[in-house]
Protein backbone atom coordinates (compact mmCIF):
# COMPACT_ATOMS: atom_id res chain seq x y z
CA UNK A 1 0.00 0.00 0.00
CA UNK A 2 1.40 3.35 -0.98
CA UNK A 3 0.82 6.10 1.60
CA UNK A 4 0.86 9.72 0.45
CA UNK A 5 3.98 11.49 1.73
CA UNK A 6 2.11 14.48 3.22
CA UNK A 7 -0.33 12.14 5.00
CA UNK A 8 2.51 10.18 6.58
CA UNK A 9 4.27 13.34 7.72
CA UNK A 10 1.07 14.65 9.28
CA UNK A 11 0.52 11.38 11.14
CA UNK A 12 4.10 11.33 12.37
CA UNK A 13 4.30 14.93 13.49
CA UNK A 14 0.76 15.48 14.73
CA UNK A 15 0.73 18.82 12.95
CA UNK A 16 -1.27 20.32 10.10
CA UNK A 17 1.19 21.04 7.25
CA UNK A 18 2.22 24.69 6.98
CA UNK A 19 0.69 26.55 4.03
CA UNK A 20 3.44 27.67 1.68
CA UNK A 21 3.24 29.54 -1.60
CA UNK A 22 3.61 27.12 -4.51
CA UNK A 23 6.09 29.51 -6.11
CA UNK A 24 8.57 29.13 -3.28
CA UNK A 25 11.35 26.74 -4.33
CA UNK A 26 12.60 24.92 -1.26
CA UNK A 27 9.57 25.66 0.94
CA UNK A 28 8.50 22.03 0.89
CA UNK A 29 11.98 21.08 2.12
CA UNK A 30 11.39 23.35 5.09
CA UNK A 31 8.16 21.56 5.95
CA UNK A 32 9.83 18.17 5.62
CA UNK A 33 12.59 19.20 8.00
CA UNK A 34 9.96 20.43 10.45
CA UNK A 35 8.45 16.97 10.57
CA UNK A 36 11.92 15.47 10.93
CA UNK A 37 12.52 17.63 13.98
CA UNK A 38 9.45 16.06 15.60
CA UNK A 39 10.90 12.58 15.02
CA UNK A 40 13.83 13.30 17.36
CA UNK A 41 11.44 13.13 20.34
CA UNK A 42 10.44 9.54 19.44
CA UNK A 43 12.18 6.30 20.37
CA UNK A 44 13.07 3.45 18.05
CA UNK A 45 13.03 -0.34 18.52
CA UNK A 46 16.17 -2.22 19.58
CA UNK A 47 17.40 -4.87 17.14
CA UNK A 48 20.21 -7.08 18.51
CA UNK A 49 21.94 -9.19 15.85
CA UNK A 50 24.48 -10.51 18.38
CA UNK A 51 28.24 -10.29 18.71
CA UNK A 52 28.91 -10.95 15.01
CA UNK A 53 26.51 -8.24 13.80
CA UNK A 54 29.26 -6.03 12.39
CA UNK A 55 30.41 -8.87 10.11
CA UNK A 56 27.12 -8.71 8.18
CA UNK A 57 27.16 -6.89 4.80
CA UNK A 58 26.76 -3.13 5.16
CA UNK A 59 26.56 -1.18 8.40
CA UNK A 60 24.24 -1.15 11.41
CA UNK A 61 21.31 1.25 11.59
CA UNK A 62 19.78 3.21 14.44
CA UNK A 63 19.28 1.13 17.61
CA UNK A 64 20.95 -1.90 16.00
CA UNK A 65 23.84 -3.89 17.49
CA UNK A 66 26.12 -5.36 18.57
CA UNK A 67 28.69 -2.76 17.44
CA UNK A 68 32.26 -2.37 18.67
CA UNK A 69 33.38 0.90 17.07
CA UNK A 70 31.69 3.88 15.40
CA UNK A 71 32.39 2.78 11.84
CA UNK A 72 30.21 -0.29 12.39
CA UNK A 73 27.28 2.21 12.40
CA UNK A 74 25.69 4.15 9.55
CA UNK A 75 26.73 7.75 8.87
CA UNK A 76 25.44 10.09 11.56
CA UNK A 77 25.42 7.37 14.22
CA UNK A 78 27.91 6.29 16.90
CA UNK A 79 28.50 3.04 18.82
CA UNK A 80 27.11 3.50 22.34
CA UNK A 81 29.21 1.47 24.80
CA UNK A 82 27.19 0.11 27.72
CA UNK A 83 26.94 -2.52 30.44
CA UNK A 84 24.24 -5.21 30.60
CA UNK A 85 20.88 -3.63 31.45
CA UNK A 86 21.94 -0.04 30.74
CA UNK A 87 19.30 1.94 28.79
CA UNK A 88 20.09 2.95 25.20
CA UNK A 89 19.40 6.61 24.33
CA UNK A 90 16.53 6.97 21.87
CA UNK A 91 15.81 3.22 21.76
CA UNK A 92 13.25 0.94 23.37
CA UNK A 93 13.07 -2.81 23.89
CA UNK A 94 14.82 -5.69 25.66
CA UNK A 95 17.94 -4.55 27.57
CA UNK A 96 19.06 -7.94 28.90
CA UNK A 97 22.19 -8.44 26.77
CA UNK A 98 25.47 -6.53 27.11
CA UNK A 99 25.50 -5.64 23.41
CA UNK A 100 26.44 -2.12 22.32
CA UNK A 101 24.14 -0.26 19.94
CA UNK A 102 24.23 2.44 17.29
CA UNK A 103 22.66 5.70 18.47
CA UNK A 104 22.50 9.25 17.14
CA UNK A 105 25.89 10.99 17.25
CA UNK A 106 25.16 14.41 18.81
CA UNK A 107 28.36 15.83 17.31
CA UNK A 108 27.63 14.75 13.74
CA UNK A 109 27.42 17.55 11.19
CA UNK A 110 25.97 16.49 7.81
CA UNK A 111 27.69 17.60 4.60
CA UNK A 112 27.16 21.21 3.54
CA UNK A 113 26.39 23.18 1.49
CA UNK A 114 23.17 21.63 0.34
CA UNK A 115 20.33 23.92 -0.78
CA UNK A 116 20.46 26.95 -3.14
CA UNK A 117 20.04 30.49 -1.81
CA UNK A 118 16.95 32.34 -3.06
CA UNK A 119 16.86 36.05 -2.13
CA UNK A 120 13.47 37.69 -2.68
CA UNK A 121 14.69 40.98 -1.19
CA UNK A 122 13.67 43.05 1.81
CA UNK A 123 9.92 42.64 1.24
CA UNK A 124 10.07 38.85 0.94
CA UNK A 125 8.08 38.23 4.11
CA UNK A 126 5.15 40.26 2.73
CA UNK A 127 4.59 37.69 -0.04
CA UNK A 128 1.83 35.05 0.38
CA UNK A 129 2.88 32.08 2.50
CA UNK A 130 6.15 31.70 4.36
CA UNK A 131 9.78 31.43 3.32
CA UNK A 132 11.38 28.04 2.70
CA UNK A 133 14.83 26.64 3.38
CA UNK A 134 17.62 29.04 2.27
CA UNK A 135 15.09 31.71 1.27
CA UNK A 136 15.12 35.33 2.43
CA UNK A 137 15.02 38.11 3.39
CA UNK A 138 13.46 37.18 6.74
CA UNK A 139 13.34 39.30 9.89
CA UNK A 140 11.93 36.91 12.52
CA UNK A 141 11.46 33.15 12.84
CA UNK A 142 7.75 33.14 11.96
CA UNK A 143 8.62 34.42 8.48
CA UNK A 144 10.07 30.91 7.91
CA UNK A 145 8.36 27.53 7.37
CA UNK A 146 7.86 25.06 10.22
CA UNK A 147 11.19 23.65 11.44
CA UNK A 148 13.21 26.64 10.21
CA UNK A 149 14.60 29.76 11.89
CA UNK A 150 15.66 33.17 10.60
CA UNK A 151 19.47 33.27 10.52
CA UNK A 152 20.67 36.81 11.24
CA UNK A 153 23.89 37.70 9.41
CA UNK A 154 26.12 40.46 8.06
CA UNK A 155 26.81 41.01 4.36
CA UNK A 156 29.03 38.24 3.00
CA UNK A 157 28.54 35.88 5.96
CA UNK A 158 28.00 32.22 4.93
CA UNK A 159 24.55 30.69 5.48
CA UNK A 160 24.53 27.27 7.19
CA UNK A 161 23.35 24.51 4.86
CA UNK A 162 22.97 26.85 1.86
CA UNK A 163 25.07 27.77 -1.18
CA UNK A 164 25.02 30.61 -3.71
CA UNK A 165 25.51 34.37 -3.89
CA UNK A 166 26.40 35.89 -0.48
CA UNK A 167 26.73 39.53 -1.56
CA UNK A 168 23.57 40.95 0.05
CA UNK A 169 22.96 41.53 3.74
CA UNK A 170 19.68 39.62 3.64
CA UNK A 171 18.87 37.13 6.41
CA UNK A 172 17.78 33.61 5.46
CA UNK A 173 15.71 30.72 6.75
CA UNK A 174 17.86 27.78 7.87
CA UNK A 175 17.26 24.51 9.73
CA UNK A 176 16.32 25.04 13.37
CA UNK A 177 17.63 21.55 14.20
CA UNK A 178 19.96 19.05 12.49
CA UNK A 179 18.59 16.78 9.76
CA UNK A 180 17.31 13.37 10.75
CA UNK A 181 18.88 9.99 9.89
CA UNK A 182 21.08 8.93 6.96
CA UNK A 183 19.80 6.86 4.05
CA UNK A 184 21.54 3.51 3.60
CA UNK A 185 20.66 1.72 0.35
CA UNK A 186 21.79 -1.92 0.22
CA UNK A 187 20.12 -2.46 -3.17
CA UNK A 188 17.34 -4.68 -4.43
CA UNK A 189 18.52 -7.77 -2.53
CA UNK A 190 18.77 -6.00 0.83
CA UNK A 191 15.91 -7.97 2.39
CA UNK A 192 17.77 -11.23 1.69
CA UNK A 193 20.53 -10.23 4.13
CA UNK A 194 20.51 -11.80 7.64
CA UNK A 195 18.19 -9.95 10.02
CA UNK A 196 15.93 -7.04 9.14
CA UNK A 197 16.44 -3.51 7.83
CA UNK A 198 16.76 -0.56 10.19
CA UNK A 199 15.51 3.03 10.05
CA UNK A 200 16.19 4.68 6.67
CA UNK A 201 17.60 1.44 5.24
CA UNK A 202 16.46 -0.24 2.02
CA UNK A 203 15.55 -1.61 -0.41
CA UNK A 204 12.52 -3.16 1.29
CA UNK A 205 9.46 -4.66 -0.40
CA UNK A 206 7.19 -5.37 2.57
CA UNK A 207 6.80 -4.15 6.14
CA UNK A 208 8.22 -7.36 7.63
CA UNK A 209 11.53 -6.61 5.90
CA UNK A 210 11.85 -3.75 8.43
CA UNK A 211 12.59 -3.82 12.16
CA UNK A 212 9.77 -3.79 14.69
CA UNK A 213 8.12 -0.36 14.78
CA UNK A 214 9.04 0.46 11.17
CA UNK A 215 7.18 0.15 7.88
CA UNK A 216 8.30 -0.11 4.26
CA UNK A 217 7.70 3.27 2.61
CA UNK A 218 6.82 2.72 -1.05
CA UNK A 219 8.06 5.54 -3.27
CA UNK A 220 8.98 6.59 -6.80
CA UNK A 221 12.51 7.55 -7.86
CA UNK A 222 13.45 10.91 -6.36
CA UNK A 223 10.64 11.02 -3.79
CA UNK A 224 11.80 12.24 -0.34
CA UNK A 225 11.87 9.72 2.51
CA UNK A 226 10.21 10.86 5.77
CA UNK A 227 12.75 11.33 8.57
CA UNK A 228 15.73 10.46 6.36
CA UNK A 229 18.30 12.41 4.37
CA UNK A 230 20.79 11.55 1.66
CA UNK A 231 20.84 10.59 -2.04
CA UNK A 232 17.34 10.10 -3.48
CA UNK A 233 18.36 8.98 -6.97
CA UNK A 234 17.37 5.32 -6.78
CA UNK A 235 13.82 3.96 -6.79
CA UNK A 236 14.49 1.86 -3.69
CA UNK A 237 11.90 1.75 -0.91
CA UNK A 238 13.02 2.41 2.67
CA UNK A 239 12.07 1.56 6.23
CA UNK A 240 10.55 4.52 8.08
CA UNK A 241 8.70 5.02 11.37
CA UNK A 242 5.28 3.37 11.38
CA UNK A 243 2.94 6.09 12.73
CA UNK A 244 0.46 3.44 13.86
CA UNK A 245 2.99 1.38 15.84
CA UNK A 246 2.46 1.07 19.59
CA UNK A 247 5.20 -0.29 21.88
Amino acid sequence: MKIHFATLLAAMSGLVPTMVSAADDGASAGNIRGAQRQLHSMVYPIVDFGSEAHTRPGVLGLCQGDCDVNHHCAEGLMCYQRSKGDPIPGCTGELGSNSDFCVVDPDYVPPHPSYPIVDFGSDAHTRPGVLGLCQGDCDVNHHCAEGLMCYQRSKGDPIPGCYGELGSNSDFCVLASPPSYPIVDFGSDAHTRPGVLGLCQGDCDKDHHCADGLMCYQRSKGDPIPGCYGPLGSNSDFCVIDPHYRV
Side-chain angles (χ1 to χ4, degrees):
M1 176 179 64
K2 183 160 184 172
I3 298 178
H4 193 275
F5 181 61
T7 303
L8 182 57
L9 284 182
M12 294 165 77
S13 65
L15 300 173
V16 176
T18 304
M19 295 301 295
V20 182
S21 170
D24 292 345
D25 288 335
S28 60
N31 290 334
I32 292 168
R33 297 302 187 185
Q36 289 176 342
R37 181 182 58 174
Q38 301 296 324
L39 294 177
H40 283 283
S41 63
M42 301 176 67
V43 292
Y44 302 99
I46 293 167
V47 180
D48 190 349
F49 294 115
S51 60
E52 302 297 327
H54 57 276
T55 65
R56 299 161 64 242
V59 289
L60 296 167
L62 184 63
C63 299
Q64 293 185 350
D66 175 39
C67 59
D68 293 327
V69 291
N70 289 347
H71 69 255
H72 291 162
C73 303
E75 183 183 4
L77 305 180
M78 59 176 280
C79 185
Y80 181 70
Q81 306 290 325
R82 59 188 282 276
S83 298
K84 184 175 180 177
D86 285 351
I88 306 161
C91 308
T92 183
E94 178 57 49
L95 299 172
S97 77
N98 61 352
S99 291
D100 302 316
F101 292 86
C102 297
V103 302
V104 174
D105 183 352
D107 298 320
Y108 176 74
V109 178
H112 290 299
S114 52
Y115 298 96
I117 293 167
V118 181
D119 190 349
F120 293 113
S122 58
D123 294 327
H125 56 277
T126 65
R127 300 162 64 249
V130 289
L131 295 167
L133 185 62
C134 300
Q135 292 184 352
D137 175 41
C138 59
D139 293 327
V140 291
N141 289 346
H142 69 254
H143 292 162
C144 302
E146 176 75 18
L148 306 181
M149 59 176 280
C150 185
Y151 182 70
Q152 305 291 325
R153 60 188 282 277
S154 299
K155 183 175 180 178
D157 285 351
I159 305 160
C162 309
Y163 69 91
E165 179 57 50
L166 299 171
S168 77
N169 63 352
S170 291
D171 303 315
F172 292 86
C173 297
V174 301
L175 295 177
S177 62
S180 193
Y181 300 100
I183 293 167
V184 181
D185 190 348
F186 294 115
S188 60
D189 293 327
H191 57 276
T192 66
R193 300 162 63 243
V196 289
L197 296 167
L199 184 63
C200 299
Q201 293 184 349
D203 175 40
C204 59
D205 293 329
K206 300 177 181 179
D207 289 349
H208 69 257
H209 293 159
C210 303
D212 190 31
L214 306 181
M215 58 176 276
C216 184
Y217 180 69
Q218 306 290 328
R219 60 188 281 276
S220 299
K221 184 175 181 178
D223 285 352
I225 305 161
C228 309
Y229 70 91
L232 298 171
S234 78
N235 61 352
S236 291
D237 303 316
F238 292 86
C239 298
V240 302
I241 296 298
D242 182 351
H244 303 296
Y245 178 74
R246 295 292 180 270
V247 177

